[in-house]
Amino acid sequence: MPKVTEEHRLARREQIVAAARTCMNEQGFHKTTMADVIRESRLSAGAVYGYFKSKEEIVAAIAEDALGTVDELFERLLATDAPLTPLAALEATIDHVVLVAQRPGGDVTRIAVQAWAESLRNEEIRGIAKGKYRKLRDHFLVIARRAQADGTLDRDVDPECVAQVMFSMIPGFVLQRLLIGDITPATYKAGLRALLR
Amino acid sequence: MPKVTEEHRLARREQIVAAARTCMNEQGFHKTTMADVIRESRLSAGAVYGYFKSKEEIVAAIAEDALGTVDELFERLLATDAPLTPLAALEATIDHVVLVAQRPGGDVTRIAVQAWAESLRNEEIRGIAKGKYRKLRDHFLVIARRAQADGTLDRDVDPECVAQVMFSMIPGFVLQRLLIGDITPATYKAGLRALLR
């Protein structure tokens, strides 16, 4: 019964990723080892290594889970025929970030911030972060191009430059939410509406 | 001769802070201990503890050194009688960030990213980061109020909300510069000019 087997595989994989998130939220990203994840998952070492060869592979899976839903978000945003503005895309993205952060299993944005630091010391984590963030920024690039086609953004500017600034809103929001704590989607979106064209 | 003594004190203090930056850039923020800083500084433990009681106090000094020059930058920005825009303030801040990052003694933005992660696990570091970043954001708040007075920003919006978005541009730029690497003040400022009112 291949369908059951596939479901079983996915559930096991999710069990391991959830265990890793718990460990990373409790004891920190850097300190978490494969042994910790195995213990927390209540699976055997052989079972865990059957899914993930290293902590880095688990980190990639956590990032994939967190950012995977972003693809659908941007698909939805681009599906409209009405003129699309960078502002509308950013407002939707900020709401989405908070939804993802509040999902059960611990705030994944806390793991992201730790992954940024780890990226400076671990080439493999840096490669994962770079790949995922380039992909996220490419979504903003598509939005910028669409806005240029729709006439809601100056056509003379390199859309890559616009994507760099749009991307910044995400780590900027996440960091203030975690470190300062007095920021909400409502306050941030009010600021965006006042500042952006 | 109190003047010589004060100069001597400042030089010693700078020697310790520089040693801490070297350690944190080489082996990471979390792993760096007071013993490492003492060894790197080539001073005695007693001498180092005479200036800083803990690693957290050194971190506060590193942040103070990095952000201290920002106060002067904003004073200069506000000194003009011409209408001031949030865009102009952000362009100047981005240039300033890169200047500070390129100062001798290692890129202090790499230490900042590590401090963000450490803030999630260490209340004392979090307190330092929160205080410093609130202060930096308050500079943007002053700019937003000035822009409202000058008529370059909508007067109906809460300037705190605008400051939250302006603040985001700094970690957003720093993170892309360190993790993705294809960002310069020129590309970023082009994006800002296209997006901001």
Side-chain angles (χ1 to χ4, degrees), chain A residues 90-109:
Chain A
L90 282 170
E91 288 188 292
T93 310
I94 291 300
D95 285 334
H96 188 79
V97 167
V98 174
L99 272 182
V100 170
Q102 290 173 338
R103 285 198 304 201
D107 186 340
V108 74
T109 66

Side-chain angles (χ1 to χ4, degrees), chain B residues 5-193:
Chain B
T5 305
E6 183 56 20
E7 270 171 20
H8 178 76
R9 272 195 66 81
L10 281 174
R12 275 281 164 97
R13 186 183 175 282
E14 178 49 38
Q15 189 178 347
I16 299 163
V17 170
R21 286 176 60 162
T22 301
C23 291
M24 288 172 186
N25 269 321
E26 278 174 9
Q27 70 198 39
F29 184 103
H30 186 79
K31 277 189 193 156
T32 297
T33 62
M34 284 296 276
D36 296 326
V37 176
I38 290 161
R39 198 178 313 116
E40 179 69 29
S41 73
R42 299 178 183 209
L43 295 169
S44 70
V48 171
Y49 278 102
Y51 290 84
F52 300 103
K53 295 273 166 283
S54 65
K55 180 174 146 185
E56 283 73 17
E57 286 190 5
I58 301 182
V59 170
I62 292 172
E64 189 60 42
D65 279 2
L67 293 173
T69 53
V70 170
D71 298 345
E72 298 155 35
L73 169 75
F74 280 89
E75 260 177 51
R76 272 204 311 279
L77 283 170
L78 291 161
T80 173
D81 285 330
L84 185 63
T85 61
L87 174 62
L90 282 170
E91 288 188 294
T93 311
I94 291 300
D95 285 335
H96 188 78
V97 167
V98 174
L99 271 182
V100 170
Q102 289 173 340
R103 285 198 303 202
D107 185 340
V108 74
T109 66
R110 296 174 65 91
I111 296 176
V113 172
Q114 295 181 73
W116 303 342
E118 194 71 6
S119 291
L120 302 178
R121 322 210 58 74
N122 178 328
E123 270 304 316
E124 210 173 329
I125 300 286
R126 189 172 172 211
I128 295 165
K130 191 172 174 174
K132 296 288 175 197
Y133 286 147
R134 277 212 68 110
K135 203 179 156 205
L136 175 56
R137 210 176 62 187
D138 282 345
H139 281 303
F140 287 120
L141 179 62
V142 172
I143 298 285
R145 286 190 179 129
R146 164 72 182 266
Q148 287 182 319
D150 286 354
T152 63
L153 180 70
D154 180 4
R155 283 176 205 190
D156 291 336
V157 68
D158 180 348
E160 292 272 7
C161 298
V162 174
Q164 289 176 353
V165 176
M166 291 181 76
F167 176 91
S168 292
M169 307 299 183
I170 313 305
F173 176 81
V174 162
L175 204 61
Q176 289 177 82
R177 182 170 168 271
L178 292 177
L179 297 196
I180 308 184
D182 60 352
I183 193 169
T184 67
T187 63
Y188 202 67
K189 290 192 286 182
L192 285 170
R193 284 191 296 271

Side-chain angles (χ1 to χ4, degrees), chain A residues 19-94:
Chain A
R21 285 176 61 162
T22 301
C23 291
M24 286 171 187
N25 268 322
E26 278 174 10
Q27 69 198 40
F29 184 104
H30 187 78
K31 276 188 194 157
T32 297
T33 63
M34 283 297 275
D36 296 325
V37 176
I38 290 161
R39 198 179 312 115
E40 179 71 29
S41 73
R42 299 177 183 212
L43 295 170
S44 70
V48 172
Y49 278 102
Y51 290 85
F52 299 104
K53 296 273 166 284
S54 65
K55 180 175 148 184
E56 284 74 16
E57 286 191 5
I58 300 182
V59 171
I62 292 172
E64 188 60 41
D65 279 3
L67 293 173
T69 54
V70 170
D71 297 345
E72 299 154 36
L73 169 75
F74 280 89
E75 260 176 52
R76 274 203 311 280
L77 284 170
L78 291 162
T80 174
D81 284 330
L84 184 65
T85 62
L87 173 61
L90 282 170
E91 288 188 292
T93 310
I94 291 300

